[in-house]
Structures are given as C-alpha cells and as structure tokens.
Amino acid sequence: MEPQPTTAHAIETVFRLESPRVIAGVARIVRDVGIAEELAQDALVAALEQWPRDGVPANPGAWLMATARNRAVDLVRRRERYARKLAEIGRDLETTAPPEEPADPDDIDDDLLRLVFTACHPVLSAEARTALTLRLLGGLTTAEIARAFLVPESTIAQRIVRAKRTLAVKNVAFEVPYGPDREARLGSVLDVIYLIFNEGYAATAGDDWLRPGLCEDALRLARVLASLMPKEPEVHALAALLEFQASRAAARTGPDGSPVLLGDQNRRRWNRMLIARGITALVHADATATSAPGPYALQAAIAACHAHAYTYEETDWASIATLYGLLAARVPSPVVELNRAVAVSMARGPAEGLEIVDALAAEPALRDYHLLPSVRGDLLARLGRTAEAREEFVRAAGLARNERERELLLARAEECDS
C-alpha cells in the first residue's frame, strides 16, 4: 500500500527530527556509525510499511528507536564477530536504559555527544568530520551539506562514504575521549555544532525557513560542553553565540512562516532569558581567556551588540564592523568578508560596503552563494540604483534553495519595480 501524502509527510518529518538520536542510540550497540545509519534507514522502511496501515504511533520517535534498536540487537546476536561486544553490553541490554547521570564526573553519558566526538576522530580530515556529523547528527542530505560547505554535492557524498569506511576500518571506539585526545577533537566538535545550529536557524533548502529541532540539539550540546569544560573559553563563547542567535527565533518568521529580516523584527519578541544566558556565557569566555579572543568569542561579541540594541537604529554598527575586521584577520573567509561588508555599509554608508562586495565577485566559493547577489542588491537599492538591484535580487532568488527565502528575494525584486 502506498502511504497517503499526509502520512508520508509525517514519516519524513519524524525521521528527519529523530534520526540523529536513533543513529546515536544504535551506534552505542553496534559500535559502527555506518551500520547504525543503515539500521535507522531499516526502521524508516518499516515505518513506511506499517504507519499508513496502522496509523502514526503516539510516540513515533520511540517507535523508530525501538525498531532500530531491536534490529541492532538481532544483528549483534546473529553475527559471530559481534559476540564480544554483546557480552560487554550484557544480557539486560533490551530492558536497561542508560544512566541518567555519568558515573564518572569526567564522562559524558550522552549518545548524541558520543556520536559527535566519534565522527570528529583525528583519523578523518576536518572536512570529513564535519560532513559526517552533519549527516548523522543533523539528519541533513548531502545536498544540504554541500550547500553549507559551498562545494559540489558529489564531493560531500564521497567524503561521507570514505569517512564511515575509515571509522570502521580503524575500529574507532564509540566514546567521548579524555584528556589531550578530547582537546584535540574539540575544535571540530565546536565547528560541527555551529553548522548544525546554522542549518536549523536558516535552512538551506525546503519549505521552512527555521528547523527548530536542529537549533535545540545544537544549543543543548553547546550547553553540555560548557558545563563539562569550564576552562575552555571557546566552548563558552560558542554557547553564548548560540544563546544570542536562538533568542531571536520567534521574531524571525511571520505568522505564515515567511522570513522577517533583522531590521523589521519585533524585538519585544526576542527571548530576554536566552539573551541573559548568552551574556553570562560570554562573561565566562572572557574570564577564562588567556590570549586574543577566538573566532567564536568574536562572533558572540557581534551577536551581543545586536542583543543589546532595543531597536534596529540603536545598533552599534561601528563596533560590529571592527569585530568583523578582527574576525576576518583571525579566520579569513569570503563569507566573513561579506558580513563585514554589510556592517561597514551600516556604519559608513552603502558605497563603502559595495566596494567590499564587488571585490568578492570573483571568489570561486561564492559563485553560487545566493547571499552575495542578495547583499549586493540591498546595497544597490540603498544607493538608488533600483534597476541593478532588481537584477541582483532575481539572481539571488534563482540561486536560493529555500522556498521561503526565494519568495522573500522575489518580493524585494518587485519592490524595486515600484
């Protein structure tokens, strides 16, 4: 029986949200992230077969987890080479839940975090670590990850396949490491959490502008890391950045789900509790820093400038432009430079911002990046060059993968006509 459209959509939505937890929970049993992903996909197939007939379960996430977990247990029991691992887990595997708190104060008893640290193992390249974790933890497609990386989809697909193969061949343990090994992987873990949050904060593709589940997972992981690593300034800085960004979520979309630009947001809808948490985390980051601020500390400071402004007009754009200059010097990137152009345009006028943007036109990484023509269109519109601005907004809409964002860009093009 073919699933009805509503049921199929429900299955797709549930799996998108729950697959990271399912993969992480199963990986703890089979100790292989590639096999864990396959078992999660098996659970999805079972849902596609059963839910249209029997109805969507009251707790669909638990149903998927139980189905995948049972198949994992069967697989471990069926294969001789997993006999040792089954003995380690014990006979009560099927009925015993993980402990609420880690037995060791330096341990992290969280399957999602185990999955992140495993995918960020040093045997993988930095690019492979991030791509694999976004695939497993974020539940993103290869196309969405390619969009985040600004590279071809085939490149991401190859990275993910090779990464899973490498982890299996090297027999990488499914664990959160200790001591120096943990420190060595921390930078990649922070990058992964940030990219996951960004995909939830402004989805690269699909019909929805926001994917709150990804933001919540990323924010939770950042908070847990901050509590476990009190002396790591960049961990606190990342937590601060995500708190500030998450505080704006309710104001970033209208009643119909369409995006609301920063200058048009109702700041009374910003979550002041999250802003307060962000300020506290940023203070901790500053207090523990022993050298120049890192990239996440600089980004958190930029977000704090926005958070402190009760109106768009009160924004301290001069400080933001200076901070982006420091960030560009610390981690040179065409995307950072594009953001600096926006800040410079607000602090010193659109003409100066346009000079920076035009200098980025030849950057290969930005060739298909829709925000480049979008920013250029905005600057041209502010300069009164509306015909050119319209062309840029139309070009940006053609490059955008998110339907909501595409609609917004086309609306801005129409405004140039009027």
Side-chain angles (χ1 to χ4, degrees):
M1 177 187 295
E2 288 295 325
Q4 297 299 314
T6 53
T7 305
H9 181 71
I11 295 171
E12 179 185 355
T13 301
V14 169
F15 188 75
R16 185 93 172 198
L17 294 173
E18 298 295 338
S19 62
R21 294 181 179 84
V22 174
I23 293 170
V26 173
R28 192 175 195 182
I29 299 172
V30 300
R31 299 296 198 267
D32 186 307
V33 294
I35 293 175
E37 187 179 18
E38 292 174 5
L39 291 171
Q41 291 290 338
D42 287 346
L44 172 62
V45 172
L48 289 169
E49 293 173 348
Q50 298 181 37
W51 292 7
R53 182 187 66 235
D54 304 333
V56 179
N59 191 336
W63 190 99
L64 288 170
M65 176 66 82
T67 301
R69 191 169 180 268
N70 289 338
R71 297 187 181 208
V73 172
D74 290 342
L75 179 64
V76 170
R77 287 174 171 166
R78 198 163 57 242
R79 296 185 179 182
E80 183 64 24
R81 61 194 178 99
Y82 285 121
R84 180 182 57 82
K85 296 179 181 179
L86 179 61
E88 292 174 358
I89 296 169
R91 291 183 175 275
D92 60 346
L93 174 65
E94 294 175 292
T95 58
T96 304
E100 290 290 330
E101 298 293 337
D104 188 310
D106 196 36
D107 194 14
I108 302 177
D109 195 11
D110 186 303
D111 284 342
L112 286 174
L113 279 171
R114 293 175 193 273
L115 184 60
V116 175
F117 272 96
T118 300
C120 291
H121 197 278
V123 297
L124 304 177
S125 68
E127 295 82 3
R129 297 173 205 169
T130 307
L132 180 62
T133 307
L134 282 170
R135 175 76 178 125
L136 299 178
L137 185 75
L140 308 187
T141 66
T142 53
E144 289 168 338
I145 300 171
R147 186 72 173 172
F149 279 150
L150 305 178
V151 297
E153 185 176 344
S154 59
T155 301
I156 295 299
Q158 291 172 1
R159 285 179 188 172
I160 292 173
V161 170
R162 291 170 181 168
K164 288 190 289 189
R165 185 185 302 128
T166 299
L167 291 177
V169 170
K170 298 291 186 179
N171 197 26
V172 172
F174 184 65
E175 64 181 7
V176 176
Y178 293 89
D181 193 19
R182 181 183 296 181
E183 301 302 322
R185 292 195 228 173
L186 183 57
S188 291
V189 170
L190 296 182
D191 291 345
V192 166
I193 293 174
Y194 185 47
L195 279 173
I196 291 171
F197 182 89
N198 277 347
E199 180 58 34
Y201 193 66
T204 57
D207 297 330
D208 297 321
W209 175 240
L210 290 174
R211 293 170 58 187
L214 288 179
C215 292
E216 291 168 5
D217 274 342
L219 185 55
R220 183 180 67 84
L221 290 171
R223 288 171 178 170
V224 171
L225 280 179
S227 68
L228 288 163
M229 302 181 179
K231 297 181 179 180
E232 288 291 338
E234 279 290 85
V235 174
H236 291 292
L238 176 64
L241 174 60
L242 301 195
E243 300 282 6
F244 286 133
Q245 299 290 68
S247 72
R248 307 179 204 163
R252 294 187 73 245
T253 55
D256 61 349
S258 59
V260 178
L261 298 177
L262 181 63
D264 300 324
Q265 289 175 16
N266 179 358
R267 300 196 174 202
R268 286 176 294 182
R269 299 191 67 197
W270 287 10
N271 189 317
R272 307 313 298 186
M273 182 189 72
L274 293 181
I275 290 175
R277 291 182 66 112
I279 293 171
T280 300
L282 187 55
V283 168
H284 286 167
D286 291 339
T288 54
T290 57
S291 58
Y296 288 114
L298 291 169
Q299 291 179 78
I302 291 168
C305 289
H306 290 294
H308 285 303
Y310 283 90
T311 66
Y312 187 70
E313 292 70 26
E314 294 176 21
T315 306
D316 186 358
W317 288 108
S319 293
I320 292 175
T322 299
L323 288 166
Y324 267 122
L326 294 173
L327 183 62
R330 183 69 184 267
V331 283
S333 158
V335 174
V336 171
E337 194 68 4
L338 184 61
N339 286 320
R340 187 176 76 86
V342 174
V344 168
S345 78
M346 298 302 297
R348 302 197 288 270
E352 287 197 37
L354 186 59
E355 288 182 12
I356 299 173
V357 172
D358 286 344
L360 295 170
E363 283 286 345
L366 298 182
R367 183 177 297 113
D368 297 323
Y369 191 48
H370 70 287
L371 291 182
L372 178 62
S374 174
V375 169
R376 191 168 190 274
D378 181 70
L379 296 176
L380 289 168
R382 288 166 57 191
L383 288 168
R385 296 159 61 178
T386 54
E388 296 171 80
R390 183 189 186 283
E391 291 180 5
E392 292 297 310
F393 286 132
V394 170
R395 187 161 74 93
L399 294 172
R401 300 279 186 89
N402 184 278
E403 186 60 32
R404 297 290 190 178
E405 198 168 13
R406 186 181 299 114
E407 292 172 357
L408 174 65
L409 290 165
L410 291 175
R412 299 206 68 190
E414 290 181 7
E415 289 174 5
C416 292
D417 289 336
S418 60

